[in-house]
Protein backbone atom coordinates (compact mmCIF):
# COMPACT_ATOMS: atom_id res chain seq x y z
CA UNK A 1 0.00 0.00 0.00
CA UNK A 2 1.46 3.41 -0.94
CA UNK A 3 1.37 6.48 1.24
CA UNK A 4 -1.03 8.12 -1.22
CA UNK A 5 -3.63 5.38 -0.62
CA UNK A 6 -3.52 5.59 3.17
CA UNK A 7 -5.63 7.83 5.39
CA UNK A 8 -4.29 11.38 5.97
CA UNK A 9 -3.61 10.69 9.64
CA UNK A 10 -1.66 7.51 8.99
CA UNK A 11 0.17 9.23 6.15
CA UNK A 12 1.27 11.93 8.59
CA UNK A 13 2.64 9.27 10.90
CA UNK A 14 4.75 7.76 8.13
CA UNK A 15 5.92 11.12 6.90
CA UNK A 16 6.85 12.35 10.37
CA UNK A 17 8.53 9.14 11.46
CA UNK A 18 10.30 8.72 8.19
CA UNK A 19 10.39 5.68 5.96
CA UNK A 20 14.12 5.23 6.25
CA UNK A 21 15.87 3.01 8.73
CA UNK A 22 16.96 5.90 10.97
CA UNK A 23 13.45 7.34 11.01
CA UNK A 24 11.87 4.04 12.01
CA UNK A 25 14.49 3.41 14.68
CA UNK A 26 14.02 6.94 16.00
CA UNK A 27 10.27 6.40 16.27
CA UNK A 28 10.75 3.02 17.93
CA UNK A 29 13.33 3.99 20.57
CA UNK A 30 11.68 7.33 21.39
CA UNK A 31 8.84 5.22 22.79
CA UNK A 32 10.98 4.67 25.89
CA UNK A 33 10.66 8.38 26.79
CA UNK A 34 7.97 10.30 24.89
CA UNK A 35 4.96 8.49 26.44
CA UNK A 36 5.94 10.28 29.67
CA UNK A 37 4.68 13.61 28.37
CA UNK A 38 3.68 13.72 24.72
CA UNK A 39 0.06 13.37 23.70
CA UNK A 40 1.10 13.75 20.07
CA UNK A 41 3.16 10.58 20.39
CA UNK A 42 0.20 8.68 21.84
CA UNK A 43 -2.04 10.02 19.07
CA UNK A 44 0.34 8.94 16.33
CA UNK A 45 0.98 5.59 17.98
CA UNK A 46 -2.76 4.97 18.31
CA UNK A 47 -3.15 5.42 14.57
CA UNK A 48 -0.40 2.92 13.79
CA UNK A 49 -0.53 -0.84 13.45
CA UNK A 50 -1.20 -3.00 16.48
CA UNK A 51 1.70 -5.26 15.46
CA UNK A 52 4.11 -2.33 15.77
CA UNK A 53 2.83 -1.46 19.24
CA UNK A 54 3.09 -5.09 20.35
CA UNK A 55 6.65 -5.24 18.99
CA UNK A 56 7.60 -2.15 21.01
CA UNK A 57 5.89 -3.57 24.11
CA UNK A 58 7.74 -6.87 23.66
CA UNK A 59 11.15 -5.23 23.29
CA UNK A 60 10.52 -2.83 26.18
CA UNK A 61 9.42 -5.59 28.57
CA UNK A 62 12.21 -7.86 27.32
CA UNK A 63 14.76 -5.20 28.28
CA UNK A 64 13.12 -4.90 31.71
CA UNK A 65 13.20 -8.69 32.12
CA UNK A 66 16.85 -8.83 31.07
CA UNK A 67 17.89 -6.06 33.49
CA UNK A 68 15.98 -7.72 36.33
CA UNK A 69 17.65 -11.04 35.51
CA UNK A 70 21.09 -9.45 35.44
CA UNK A 71 20.36 -7.94 38.85
CA UNK A 72 19.52 -11.42 40.18
CA UNK A 73 22.67 -12.85 38.56
CA UNK A 74 24.91 -10.19 40.10
CA UNK A 75 23.40 -10.82 43.54
CA UNK A 76 23.72 -14.59 43.25
CA UNK A 77 27.24 -14.81 41.82
CA UNK A 78 28.61 -12.15 44.19
CA UNK A 79 28.05 -14.65 47.01
CA UNK A 80 30.87 -16.80 45.58
CA UNK A 81 33.42 -14.23 46.73
CA UNK A 82 31.87 -14.16 50.20
CA UNK A 83 32.03 -17.96 50.41
CA UNK A 84 35.69 -18.04 49.46
CA UNK A 85 36.50 -15.23 51.90
CA UNK A 86 34.65 -17.00 54.73
CA UNK A 87 36.72 -20.15 54.19
CA UNK A 88 39.93 -18.13 53.95
CA UNK A 89 39.16 -16.37 57.26
CA UNK A 90 38.35 -19.67 58.94
CA UNK A 91 34.73 -18.71 59.59
CA UNK A 92 33.57 -21.94 57.94
CA UNK A 93 35.48 -25.22 58.48
CA UNK A 94 36.42 -27.61 55.70
CA UNK A 95 34.52 -30.90 55.90
CA UNK A 96 35.50 -34.30 54.52
CA UNK A 97 33.13 -37.26 54.36
CA UNK A 98 35.21 -40.37 53.68
CA UNK A 99 33.70 -43.88 53.69
CA UNK A 100 30.79 -42.71 55.83
CA UNK A 101 32.87 -40.83 58.42
CA UNK A 102 33.01 -37.05 58.86
CA UNK A 103 36.21 -35.14 59.52
CA UNK A 104 36.09 -31.41 60.33
CA UNK A 105 39.03 -29.03 60.11
CA UNK A 106 37.92 -26.56 62.78
CA UNK A 107 36.39 -26.03 66.19
CA UNK A 108 33.27 -27.97 67.10
CA UNK A 109 30.35 -27.90 67.58
CA UNK A 110 30.07 -25.50 64.64
CA UNK A 111 26.63 -23.86 64.44
CA UNK A 112 25.95 -22.27 61.06
CA UNK A 113 22.34 -21.19 61.67
CA UNK A 114 20.24 -20.83 64.77
CA UNK A 115 17.47 -18.42 63.87
CA UNK A 116 13.73 -17.88 64.08
CA UNK A 117 11.99 -16.35 61.05
CA UNK A 118 9.26 -13.72 61.22
CA UNK A 119 6.63 -16.38 60.53
CA UNK A 120 7.67 -18.31 63.64
CA UNK A 121 9.61 -21.01 61.78
CA UNK A 122 12.93 -21.81 63.51
CA UNK A 123 15.94 -23.36 61.78
CA UNK A 124 19.08 -25.02 63.09
CA UNK A 125 22.13 -26.00 61.01
CA UNK A 126 25.25 -27.39 62.70
CA UNK A 127 28.23 -29.74 62.36
CA UNK A 128 29.47 -31.77 65.34
CA UNK A 129 31.53 -34.96 65.30
CA UNK A 130 32.38 -34.81 69.02
CA UNK A 131 29.01 -36.06 70.22
CA UNK A 132 28.13 -32.85 72.08
CA UNK A 133 25.08 -32.38 69.83
CA UNK A 134 23.59 -35.76 68.98
CA UNK A 135 20.27 -34.71 67.46
CA UNK A 136 18.10 -31.73 66.59
CA UNK A 137 15.73 -30.57 69.33
CA UNK A 138 12.35 -30.75 67.56
CA UNK A 139 10.67 -28.97 70.46
CA UNK A 140 12.63 -25.84 69.51
CA UNK A 141 13.26 -26.17 65.77
CA UNK A 142 10.83 -26.80 62.94
CA UNK A 143 13.55 -27.46 60.39
CA UNK A 144 17.25 -28.05 60.39
CA UNK A 145 20.33 -30.08 59.46
CA UNK A 146 22.89 -31.69 61.75
CA UNK A 147 26.01 -33.42 60.43
CA UNK A 148 27.49 -35.83 62.98
CA UNK A 149 30.44 -38.20 62.70
CA UNK A 150 28.48 -40.89 60.82
CA UNK A 151 24.99 -39.48 60.13
CA UNK A 152 23.07 -36.61 58.59
CA UNK A 153 20.03 -35.54 60.62
CA UNK A 154 17.27 -33.60 58.85
CA UNK A 155 14.04 -32.02 60.11
CA UNK A 156 11.40 -30.56 57.76
CA UNK A 157 7.73 -29.72 58.32
CA UNK A 158 6.78 -32.02 55.43
CA UNK A 159 8.88 -35.12 56.19
CA UNK A 160 9.50 -34.81 59.93
CA UNK A 161 12.74 -36.14 61.46
CA UNK A 162 14.99 -38.22 59.22
CA UNK A 163 18.44 -39.75 59.76
CA UNK A 164 20.63 -40.79 56.83
CA UNK A 165 23.91 -42.76 57.29
CA UNK A 166 26.77 -40.91 55.61
CA UNK A 167 27.86 -44.14 53.90
CA UNK A 168 24.64 -43.94 51.86
CA UNK A 169 25.55 -40.41 50.82
CA UNK A 170 28.97 -41.60 49.60
CA UNK A 171 27.20 -44.33 47.65
CA UNK A 172 24.64 -41.91 46.18
CA UNK A 173 27.39 -39.59 44.89
CA UNK A 174 29.48 -42.60 43.82
CA UNK A 175 32.48 -41.16 45.67
CA UNK A 176 34.42 -42.63 48.58
CA UNK A 177 35.48 -39.14 49.63
CA UNK A 178 33.33 -36.01 49.48
CA UNK A 179 35.08 -32.69 50.07
CA UNK A 180 33.11 -29.66 51.30
CA UNK A 181 35.53 -26.78 51.03
CA UNK A 182 35.89 -23.37 49.38
CA UNK A 183 36.29 -24.80 45.87
CA UNK A 184 33.48 -27.37 45.94
CA UNK A 185 30.99 -25.06 47.69
CA UNK A 186 31.77 -22.24 45.24
CA UNK A 187 31.25 -24.58 42.30
CA UNK A 188 27.99 -25.89 43.74
CA UNK A 189 26.74 -22.36 44.42
CA UNK A 190 27.74 -21.27 40.91
CA UNK A 191 25.82 -24.15 39.34
CA UNK A 192 22.78 -23.43 41.48
CA UNK A 193 23.02 -19.73 40.67
CA UNK A 194 23.03 -20.47 36.93
CA UNK A 195 19.84 -22.48 37.29
CA UNK A 196 18.20 -19.76 39.40
CA UNK A 197 19.17 -17.07 36.86
CA UNK A 198 17.67 -19.06 33.97
CA UNK A 199 14.46 -19.67 35.91
CA UNK A 200 14.35 -16.00 36.93
CA UNK A 201 14.60 -14.86 33.29
CA UNK A 202 11.80 -17.24 32.27
CA UNK A 203 9.63 -15.96 35.12
CA UNK A 204 10.32 -12.27 34.40
CA UNK A 205 9.76 -12.74 30.66
CA UNK A 206 6.49 -14.60 31.16
CA UNK A 207 5.25 -12.09 33.71
CA UNK A 208 6.23 -8.86 31.96
CA UNK A 209 5.63 -9.97 28.36
CA UNK A 210 2.87 -12.58 28.36
CA UNK A 211 0.84 -12.03 31.53
CA UNK A 212 0.89 -8.23 31.25
CA UNK A 213 -0.06 -8.38 27.58
CA UNK A 214 -3.04 -10.57 28.47
CA UNK A 215 -4.08 -8.15 31.22
CA UNK A 216 -3.77 -5.16 28.90
CA UNK A 217 -5.80 -6.96 26.21
CA UNK A 218 -8.64 -7.69 28.65
CA UNK A 219 -8.69 -4.10 29.92
CA UNK A 220 -8.57 -2.84 26.31
CA UNK A 221 -11.70 -4.82 25.47
CA UNK A 222 -13.56 -3.24 28.38
CA UNK A 223 -12.38 0.28 27.52
CA UNK A 224 -13.17 -0.27 23.85
CA UNK A 225 -16.75 -1.22 24.72
CA UNK A 226 -17.14 1.96 26.78
CA UNK A 227 -15.53 4.24 24.20
CA UNK A 228 -17.64 2.92 21.30
CA UNK A 229 -20.70 4.05 23.25
CA UNK A 230 -19.27 7.57 23.41
CA UNK A 231 -17.60 7.63 20.00
CA UNK A 232 -18.88 4.96 17.60
CA UNK A 233 -16.59 3.39 15.01
CA UNK A 234 -13.55 3.74 17.27
CA UNK A 235 -11.16 0.94 16.35
CA UNK A 236 -9.88 -1.57 18.89
CA UNK A 237 -6.33 -0.95 17.67
CA UNK A 238 -6.48 2.67 18.85
CA UNK A 239 -7.43 1.56 22.37
CA UNK A 240 -4.87 -1.23 22.83
CA UNK A 241 -2.06 0.75 21.17
CA UNK A 242 -2.54 3.54 23.70
CA UNK A 243 -2.42 1.03 26.54
CA UNK A 244 0.75 -0.64 25.27
CA UNK A 245 2.62 2.68 25.28
CA UNK A 246 1.10 3.78 28.61
CA UNK A 247 3.09 0.93 30.17
CA UNK A 248 6.23 3.09 29.88
CA UNK A 249 5.40 5.89 32.37
CA UNK A 250 3.53 3.38 34.56
CA UNK A 251 6.66 1.28 34.93
CA UNK A 252 8.88 4.28 35.72
CA UNK A 253 6.53 5.60 38.42
CA UNK A 254 6.02 2.20 40.04
CA UNK A 255 9.81 1.69 40.06
CA UNK A 256 10.36 5.04 41.77
CA UNK A 257 7.77 4.27 44.44
CA UNK A 258 9.12 0.77 45.02
CA UNK A 259 12.62 2.25 45.49
CA UNK A 260 11.02 4.55 48.08
CA UNK A 261 9.60 1.48 49.86
CA UNK A 262 6.06 2.42 48.80
CA UNK A 263 4.29 -0.42 47.06
CA UNK A 264 0.98 -2.25 46.98
CA UNK A 265 -0.63 -4.84 44.70
CA UNK A 266 -1.79 -3.32 41.44
CA UNK A 267 0.38 -0.20 41.76
CA UNK A 268 1.69 -0.40 38.20
CA UNK A 269 -1.78 -1.21 36.87
CA UNK A 270 -3.11 1.91 38.63
CA UNK A 271 -0.61 4.16 36.84
CA UNK A 272 -1.22 2.30 33.58
CA UNK A 273 -4.95 3.05 33.78
CA UNK A 274 -4.26 6.66 34.75
CA UNK A 275 -2.18 7.40 31.64
CA UNK A 276 -4.29 5.14 29.42
CA UNK A 277 -7.68 6.65 30.31
CA UNK A 278 -6.32 10.22 30.30
CA UNK A 279 -5.02 9.89 26.74
CA UNK A 280 -8.17 8.14 25.51
CA UNK A 281 -10.31 10.86 27.12
CA UNK A 282 -8.32 13.57 25.35
CA UNK A 283 -8.56 11.64 22.09
CA UNK A 284 -12.35 11.26 22.10
CA UNK A 285 -12.97 14.80 23.41
CA UNK A 286 -11.82 16.33 20.10
CA UNK A 287 -10.35 19.39 21.82
CA UNK A 288 -8.76 21.46 19.06
CA UNK A 289 -5.67 22.24 21.14
CA UNK A 290 -4.82 18.54 21.28
CA UNK A 291 -6.19 17.37 17.91
CA UNK A 292 -4.25 19.87 15.82
CA UNK A 293 -1.47 18.07 13.99
CA UNK A 294 2.00 18.71 15.34
CA UNK A 295 5.47 17.56 14.24
CA UNK A 296 6.58 14.55 16.27
CA UNK A 297 9.93 16.09 17.19
CA UNK A 298 11.39 12.71 18.09
CA UNK A 299 14.67 14.36 19.05
CA UNK A 300 13.02 15.53 22.30
CA UNK A 301 13.28 11.92 23.51
CA UNK A 302 17.01 12.58 24.06
CA UNK A 303 15.96 14.59 27.12
CA UNK A 304 15.21 11.29 28.84
CA UNK A 305 18.56 9.68 28.10
CA UNK A 306 20.22 10.71 31.43
CA UNK A 307 17.21 9.34 33.31
CA UNK A 308 17.36 5.98 31.50
CA UNK A 309 21.10 5.67 32.12
CA UNK A 310 20.57 6.46 35.81
CA UNK A 311 17.90 3.74 36.02
CA UNK A 312 20.25 1.20 34.46
CA UNK A 313 23.07 2.15 36.83
CA UNK A 314 20.66 1.79 39.74
CA UNK A 315 19.87 -1.77 38.65
CA UNK A 316 23.52 -2.91 38.67
CA UNK A 317 24.70 -0.76 41.56
CA UNK A 318 21.77 0.36 43.68
CA UNK A 319 22.25 4.00 44.61
CA UNK A 320 22.47 4.30 48.41
CA UNK A 321 19.53 5.72 50.35
CA UNK A 322 18.38 8.34 50.97
CA UNK A 323 20.38 10.38 48.46
CA UNK A 324 20.22 7.77 45.71
CA UNK A 325 16.43 7.57 45.84
CA UNK A 326 16.19 11.37 46.00
CA UNK A 327 18.42 11.63 42.92
CA UNK A 328 16.18 9.20 41.02
CA UNK A 329 13.12 11.27 41.87
CA UNK A 330 14.76 14.61 41.00
CA UNK A 331 16.07 13.41 37.62
CA UNK A 332 12.76 11.73 36.75
CA UNK A 333 10.64 14.75 37.69
CA UNK A 334 12.97 17.16 35.87
CA UNK A 335 12.89 14.92 32.79
CA UNK A 336 9.10 14.86 32.78
CA UNK A 337 8.73 18.61 33.37
CA UNK A 338 11.31 19.59 30.74
CA UNK A 339 9.79 17.20 28.21
CA UNK A 340 6.24 18.45 28.80
CA UNK A 341 7.31 22.08 28.98
CA UNK A 342 9.34 21.96 25.79
CA UNK A 343 6.62 20.23 23.80
CA UNK A 344 3.98 22.65 25.14
CA UNK A 345 6.21 25.55 24.13
CA UNK A 346 6.41 24.30 20.56
CA UNK A 347 2.69 23.61 20.51
CA UNK A 348 1.81 27.13 21.74
CA UNK A 349 4.30 28.98 19.56
CA UNK A 350 3.92 26.78 16.51
CA UNK A 351 7.67 27.04 16.03
CA UNK A 352 9.30 24.24 14.16
CA UNK A 353 12.79 23.70 15.54
CA UNK A 354 15.76 22.95 13.45
CA UNK A 355 15.62 19.34 12.39
CA UNK A 356 18.68 17.30 13.39
CA UNK A 357 20.72 15.70 10.58
CA UNK A 358 19.59 12.21 11.59
CA UNK A 359 15.95 13.08 10.92
CA UNK A 360 16.83 14.76 7.64
CA UNK A 361 18.61 11.60 6.51
CA UNK A 362 15.72 9.41 7.63
CA UNK A 363 13.23 11.44 5.69
Amino acid sequence: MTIENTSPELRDVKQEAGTGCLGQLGWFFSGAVLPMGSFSYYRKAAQGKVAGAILFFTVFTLVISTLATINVAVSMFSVVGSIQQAYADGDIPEITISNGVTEVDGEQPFVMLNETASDGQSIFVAVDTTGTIQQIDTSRYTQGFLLTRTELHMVTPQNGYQTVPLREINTAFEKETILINSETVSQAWGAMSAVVVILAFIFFALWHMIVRLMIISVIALVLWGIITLLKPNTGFGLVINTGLYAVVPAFYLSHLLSRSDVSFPGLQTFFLLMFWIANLAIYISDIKFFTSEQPLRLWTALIGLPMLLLYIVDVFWQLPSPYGVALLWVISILTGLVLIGLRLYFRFTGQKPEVPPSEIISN
Side-chain angles (χ1 to χ4, degrees):
M1 180 181 292
T2 62
I3 294 180
E4 289 75 9
N5 292 332
T6 59
S7 64
E9 288 182 331
L10 186 57
R11 182 165 61 249
D12 289 339
V13 175
K14 292 184 177 181
Q15 289 174 343
E16 288 289 350
T19 56
C21 180
L22 289 178
Q24 295 300 320
L25 287 175
W27 164 262
F28 188 85
F29 288 111
S30 61
V33 175
L34 293 186
M36 293 176 59
S38 172
F39 173 71
S40 296
Y41 191 89
Y42 278 104
R43 184 176 178 83
K44 300 298 184 183
Q47 297 162 2
K49 294 182 179 180
V50 175
I54 291 178
L55 177 61
F56 168 79
F57 173 84
T58 301
V59 173
F60 182 75
T61 52
L62 182 61
V63 170
I64 293 173
S65 301
T66 302
L67 291 176
T69 303
I70 293 174
N71 189 27
V72 172
V74 171
S75 300
M76 292 292 294
F77 286 104
S78 63
V79 176
V80 173
S82 301
I83 292 173
Q84 294 174 343
Q85 188 62 45
Y87 274 101
D89 295 340
D91 296 332
I92 302 177
E94 293 187 359
I95 300 172
T96 303
I97 302 176
S98 179
N99 295 316
V101 178
T102 302
E103 294 180 3
V104 179
D105 182 15
E107 295 183 1
Q108 298 181 70
F110 176 72
V111 179
M112 298 182 187
L113 281 177
N114 186 4
E115 298 178 354
T116 300
S118 58
D119 59 358
Q121 297 288 321
S122 53
I123 183 171
F124 179 78
V125 179
V127 178
D128 182 28
T129 63
T130 65
T132 304
I133 304 176
Q134 298 183 358
Q135 62 181 10
I136 301 172
D137 186 356
T138 55
S139 64
R140 295 179 55 190
Y141 304 104
T142 55
Q143 52 188 329
F145 296 89
L146 172 62
L147 182 63
T148 66
R149 186 172 183 274
T150 58
E151 294 176 328
L152 175 63
H153 297 247
M154 296 178 291
V155 174
T156 61
Q158 297 79 17
N159 300 320
Y161 202 108
Q162 293 179 306
T163 302
V164 181
L166 295 181
R167 190 174 294 276
E168 294 184 8
I169 295 178
N170 284 113
T171 303
F173 282 92
E174 298 181 347
K175 289 184 178 181
E176 293 183 358
T177 301
I178 299 174
L179 295 176
I180 304 176
N181 55 21
S182 174
E183 183 179 353
T184 57
V185 173
S186 297
Q187 291 175 352
W189 182 268
M192 184 184 70
S193 298
V195 174
V196 170
V197 168
I198 294 172
L199 293 177
F201 177 76
I202 294 173
F203 170 78
F204 288 134
L206 288 176
W207 173 253
H208 288 294
M209 296 170 60
I210 307 301
V211 177
R212 288 195 182 279
L213 181 59
M214 293 173 61
I215 293 173
I216 290 173
S217 299
V218 172
I219 297 175
L221 286 171
V222 175
L223 292 177
W224 183 41
I226 297 173
I227 289 176
T228 51
L229 296 177
L230 303 174
K231 189 173 183 179
N233 301 323
T234 300
F236 176 71
L238 181 147
V239 178
I240 193 171
N241 281 6
T242 305
L244 291 173
Y245 283 94
V247 167
V248 174
F251 174 77
Y252 295 153
L253 284 173
S254 62
H255 174 71
L256 286 172
L257 287 175
S258 65
R259 285 285 283 113
S260 304
D261 297 325
V262 178
S263 183
F264 56 84
L267 176 63
Q268 192 171 141
T269 302
F270 169 77
F271 288 122
L272 169 68
L273 289 173
M274 184 177 72
F275 282 91
W276 196 348
I277 294 174
N279 280 280
L280 289 177
I282 294 174
Y283 185 86
I284 64 176
S285 64
D286 287 331
I287 300 175
K288 185 177 180 180
F289 177 78
F290 293 105
T291 56
S292 60
E293 292 299 327
Q294 295 288 323
L296 285 178
R297 300 185 177 95
L298 299 181
W299 60 269
T300 56
L302 295 174
I303 296 171
L305 188 58
M307 182 194 72
L308 296 179
L309 292 176
L310 185 62
Y311 281 5
I312 294 174
V313 170
D314 189 55
V315 168
F316 296 109
W317 179 66
Q318 196 170 82
L319 302 175
S321 297
Y323 303 108
V325 176
L327 180 62
L328 286 171
W329 275 102
V330 169
I331 296 299
S332 299
I333 292 174
L334 283 178
T335 298
L337 291 177
V338 171
L339 179 64
I340 294 172
L342 186 61
R343 297 188 70 87
L344 283 176
Y345 169 77
F346 288 136
R347 183 176 284 271
F348 275 114
T349 60
Q351 267 186 314
K352 188 168 184 179
E354 183 180 351
V355 182
S358 59
E359 289 196 25
I360 296 176
I361 294 174
S362 65
N363 288 318

